[in-house]
Amino acid sequence: MSKVIRTVLGDIDPLESGAANMHDHLIREAGTVEVLMDKDFLMDSAEAAAEELQDFSKYGGKTFLDAQPLGCGRNIQKYIDIANKVPEVQIIASTGFHKGKFYFASHWVNDYSINEMVDLLLGEIYEGIDLNMYNGPFVKRSTARAGVIKAGTGYQVISSLEEKMCRASARAQKATGLLLFTHTQHGTMGHEQLDIFESEGVDLSRVMVGHIDRNPDPNNLISLAKRGATLEFDTPMRIKYHAESVTIDCLRAVIDAGYEDQIVLAGDNGRRSYLKAYGGGPGYAYILEKFVPRLYSEGFDEKIIYKIMVETPRRLLSFENA
Ligand SMILES: [Zn+2]
């Protein structure tokens, strides 16, 4: 049995992965909690996503992790169309769950048991992603299968619904060996997420903690890495949160502490105003276009940059296909 990376258009040899954007957003349809909160979250244009991906590819991008899980506006048919339009970029689709606040009280996540939810996740990983996100009554599987599993929590709190969803995602991770990646709100509750995953028997080297540099505290970052998790940095370019120099200092601190193999970078362009194709910026290409050159100019070792952009994403995305 050999390892593969599961993309929207099929499984690939991990050696084909190349430079990766490890958390970003292709599509978010109308009718979700987020879009009702703020129209800026509406990202429904397959053409705009394809245009952005072409730009990402122009700067050397090869692999793109779409972080839209169940119930949050994912549209797998559009992903397949985008993947066919931009075959030079390999798209990885997610299954799993977001933070609890993104689900209406009427959503099935509130009613199903943990193990019922695990079955739904395994269906998306092994059989095909449901075209309608299990909003029923019929399940219609697409040709695309999920290649990563998401879990999410709130700001300084994990609600009982979030704990249930985290446990379902953790059990699906254990059953499949796929990467389990998370949403943290403002970089909080990272350790608490790992506690839940550990209690489910998840190997923390298969976990990527998301948006964790929104809390640019080297102590917190290093303590999470010490437990085996990989840190997903996506705050470069978000000057409204903090200067990029703060992110650079955090990267240095984590590398100096010996955890250079547990860092990845991402764009997390989850608003239309973040994408050039909708008239905003900086877009999917930013990390490769601007931030990686800055790392070189700041004296970061070329081998370490290669690990962050290529080798660690490859290791995380690869799994033994059962
Ligand atoms: Zn995101």
Side-chain angles (χ1 to χ4, degrees):
M1 222 165 28
S2 57
K3 289 199 170 186
V4 296
I5 293 177
R6 180 149 291 171
T7 79
V8 161
L9 296 183
D11 292 350
I12 61 165
D13 182 334
L15 288 175
E16 294 171 46
S17 66
N21 178 343
M22 288 295 280
H23 180 130
D24 222 312
H25 297 274
L26 289 175
I27 295 289
R28 192 185 295 101
E29 296 288 0
T32 61
V33 173
E34 273 177 285
V35 175
L36 289 172
M37 275 165 26
D38 186 343
K39 282 268 175 292
D40 197 27
F41 287 118
L42 179 66
M43 299 166 63
D44 57 352
S45 167
E47 292 71 33
E51 200 182 312
E52 283 281 339
L53 274 187
Q54 273 150 357
D55 193 37
F56 172 65
S57 170
K58 200 173 91 191
Y59 287 96
K62 197 90 202 292
T63 293
F64 182 98
L65 190 163
D66 178 85
Q68 215 64 27
L70 279 163
C72 298
R74 189 190 63 187
N75 183 330
I76 196 62
Q77 187 55 55
K78 285 188 182 173
Y79 293 6
I80 294 169
D81 296 344
I82 296 164
N84 280 314
K85 204 170 170 191
V86 194
E88 55 272 33
V89 177
Q90 295 146 162
I91 299 167
I92 322 283
S94 305
T95 191
F97 306 100
H98 215 306
K99 63 177 181 179
K101 280 194 177 147
F102 287 171
Y103 295 89
F104 294 107
S106 58
H107 195 276
W108 52 258
V109 290
N110 293 286
D111 304 313
Y112 292 175
S113 72
I114 296 175
N115 285 338
E116 284 170 335
M117 299 206 297
V118 174
D119 285 346
L120 293 177
L121 302 186
L122 296 183
E124 292 213 315
I125 294 160
Y126 290 133
E127 294 165 50
I129 290 180
D130 181 36
L131 287 165
N132 196 28
M133 291 193 289
Y134 294 130
N135 289 324
F138 301 109
V139 172
K140 293 183 180 172
R141 299 208 181 272
S142 67
T143 52
R145 296 186 289 177
V148 286
I149 306 165
K150 185 167 186 172
T153 56
Y155 177 58
Q156 296 289 23
V157 70
I158 298 181
S159 68
S160 56
L161 171 61
E162 285 163 349
E163 183 180 339
K164 185 171 88 163
M165 295 191 288
C166 281
R167 289 190 185 281
S169 292
R171 287 179 202 180
Q173 191 291 322
K174 261 205 93 179
T176 60
L178 284 186
L179 173 66
L180 174 56
F181 76 103
T182 75
H183 167 91
T184 66
Q185 191 70 19
H186 304 308
T188 66
M189 308 312 276
H191 278 290
E192 290 78 1
Q193 290 182 346
L194 297 186
D195 292 344
I196 293 173
F197 301 154
E198 220 165 39
S199 77
E200 293 288 344
V202 170
D203 169 0
L204 298 186
S205 73
R206 300 299 296 150
V207 176
M208 175 174 94
V209 189
H211 318 313
I212 197 61
D213 60 326
R214 301 283 160 94
N215 172 14
D217 177 344
N219 262 2
N220 188 53
L221 296 165
I222 290 165
S223 65
L224 290 163
K226 207 173 266 175
R227 294 179 69 178
T230 294
L231 311 170
E232 181 255 296
F233 280 63
D234 53 29
T235 313
M237 90 203 101
R238 279 189 174 64
I239 312 307
K240 63 182 182 181
Y241 295 125
H242 53 247
E244 283 186 344
S245 57
V246 175
T247 308
I248 301 262
D249 289 345
C250 284
L251 284 169
R252 261 202 198 102
V254 174
I255 291 165
D256 288 348
Y259 297 104
E260 63 190 51
D261 296 319
Q262 289 164 249
I263 302 165
V264 295
L265 295 177
D268 192 23
N269 294 278
R271 290 174 174 268
R272 58 197 291 138
S273 61
Y274 292 168
L275 294 177
K276 287 186 252 183
Y278 287 104
Y284 296 161
Y286 183 85
I287 293 283
L288 284 162
E289 181 188 358
K290 299 269 174 66
F291 193 67
V292 166
R294 175 161 180 183
L295 292 179
Y296 279 107
S297 73
E298 297 252 3
F300 280 73
D301 185 282
E302 191 176 347
K303 282 200 194 83
I304 291 178
I305 296 174
Y306 188 74
K307 279 183 179 184
I308 292 172
M309 295 308 299
V310 179
E311 290 181 345
T312 301
R314 175 181 292 152
R315 170 172 57 79
L316 294 178
L317 294 170
S318 302
F319 76 111
E320 297 274 358
N321 185 21

